[in-house]
Amino acid sequence: MAVERFPVEATHIMMFARSVADPNPIYSDAEYAATTEVGRIIAPPTFAQASAQFDPDYVLRPKSGEVWFGSGKEPTGIKRDASGGSGGGGNGGGLHAEQHFEYHRHLTPGDVLTATNLPGKAWEKEGKRGGKLMFSEFITEYRDQNGELVITARGVGVRTGQVVES
Amino acid sequence: MSLSQKNLKVGDTHSELVIDDLSRTQLVMYAGTSGDYNPLHSDDLYATKVAGYPGVFAHGMLSMGMTAKMLTNYVGDGRLTKYGVRFVRQVWPGDSLTATATVTALREEGGQHFVDLDVATVNQSGEPVITGYAAARIDP
C-alpha cells in the first residue's frame, strides 16, 4: 500500500501490541524500555501492516458517505444483481497467502514513514479442490524521515477463480 | 534477554501457547489497530450469508502477530532481522495456537552472529495454521 505519511505513535503501538495479545512492556512502558538493550519503546514485528490506517484509499475501511460491503440492514451493503448468484460483496479482495518482513531497524515512536509499492509477480495455480488460484505479490518499502529504508515487506494475496467469475 | 551462539545448537526449539480460546473480541481489536476492517473478521452475518464461511475467522496477520510474540520472547526485543510466513489454514474463534521456533542454522556475517529459525504455529488439533521462518541477531 502506498502511504505518504505514516507517523509511528506510542499509543498506536500499545494498542497494536494488545491486539496481538502481546503484553511485553517494551511496547508500552517507556521507563521499562529505557532499561533494556533497545533503550526505547519499539513496535512489534508486524506493526508496519498498520500503515493501512494511513492509506486514504484503503478498500477494507468503511468511508463516510460510501457504500460498505459488510452488513447493516442487509448482510451486505452492496446490491446484488437480480440473477442472484454468490456475488455481491465477494470476499473483500481475496485472502492473504503469505507475508514477509525484512527489518533494517525496528520502528520507534516519532518515526514518520513513507510506504512505496514496487511491482511484484503474479502467477496461477490449480487449487486442491478444483478451480484456479490467482496469486499476486505486493512489495512495500518503508522509509523513515531520513529516507532510510527501515522495513521491506512482501505480501502475497490469493483469489479464487469462482469469486472473480461471479 | 537475547540468545547467545555458544548456548545454541541446530535443532533447539522454543514453544509458546500464544493464544488460548481466541475470542471474537480479539479479532475486533486487531481490526481496530491494523486498519483491516474486512467484515470477514468481525461481521458474522456477512461472513456466513455473503461470503459463505461458517463464521468470522482471524486475520492472517493476527496469527502472524501472535506468532511474533513467541519469536521476540525467544530472540529478544529488537533482534529480528527477517520474519516471513505462509498462511496455511484458517484460524477460528475458540482456537488455541501454539507457536514453535526451531534453530536451523547459526551463522556469522560481517562480524555479527545470527540464528536462522523455522517457524510453525499449530491449532489445538495440531494442524498447522502458519509455517515460516525468521532470522535474528544473536550474541557471540
Side-chain angles (χ1 to χ4, degrees), chain B residues 11-16 67 70-71 74-75 99-104 116-120 134:
Chain B
D12 282 355
T13 65
H14 172 80
S15 273
E16 279 182 38
T67 298
M70 174 281 294
L71 283 173
Y74 185 41
V75 305
T100 303
T102 305
V103 175
T104 56
D116 289 331
L117 302 164
D118 184 74
V119 175

Side-chain angles (χ1 to χ4, degrees), chain A residues 12 15 18-22 24 37-38 50 53 58 60 68-69 71 88-90 96-101 103 106, chain B residues 26 32-37 39 43 46 50 61-62 66 69 77-87 133:
Chain A
H12 193 188
M15 292 169 70
R18 286 178 180 166
S19 77
V20 293
D22 192 338
N24 188 335
E37 176 193 59
V38 180
Q53 298 280 17
Y58 191 57
L60 297 177
W68 175 240
F69 67 99
S71 70
H96 203 169
E98 291 177 39
Q99 184 65 39
H100 307 264
F101 293 107
Y103 306 100
H106 289 272
Chain B
Q26 192 76 48
T33 62
S34 67
D36 179 349
Y37 301 98
D43 182 339
Y46 172 84
V50 181
M61 289 305 296
L62 171 55
M66 294 189 299
K69 165 172 65 171
D77 297 320
R79 293 287 190 131
L80 275 185
T81 56
K82 276 181 194 173
Y83 175 33
V85 303
R86 195 176 280 238
F87 304 106
Y133 61 87

Side-chain angles (χ1 to χ4, degrees), chain A residues 54-152:
Chain A
F54 301 92
D55 177 352
D57 303 319
Y58 191 57
V59 295
L60 297 177
R61 178 178 66 242
K63 295 176 196 71
S64 179
E66 289 181 24
V67 170
W68 175 240
F69 67 99
S71 70
K73 279 182 197 141
E74 302 295 332
T76 176
I78 306 280
K79 297 271 183 289
R80 299 195 201 204
D81 61 35
S83 64
S86 63
N91 62 11
L95 293 175
H96 203 169
E98 291 177 39
Q99 184 65 39
H100 307 264
F101 293 107
E102 212 175 310
Y103 306 100
H104 311 289
R105 81 166 164 81
H106 289 272
L107 304 176
T108 195
D111 280 337
V112 181
L113 308 180
T114 57
T116 322
N117 296 325
L118 301 181
K121 288 178 292 204
W123 66 96
E124 290 184 358
K125 220 167 105 177
E126 288 302 316
K128 277 182 201 148
R129 279 167 237 130
K132 205 162 270 178
L133 297 174
M134 284 165 281
F135 293 88
S136 46
E137 186 185 53
F138 305 89
I139 298 166
T140 309
E141 285 187 345
Y142 293 91
R143 288 176 189 277
D144 69 9
Q145 52 282 9
N146 304 314
E148 299 286 334
L149 185 62
V150 286
I151 293 179
T152 308

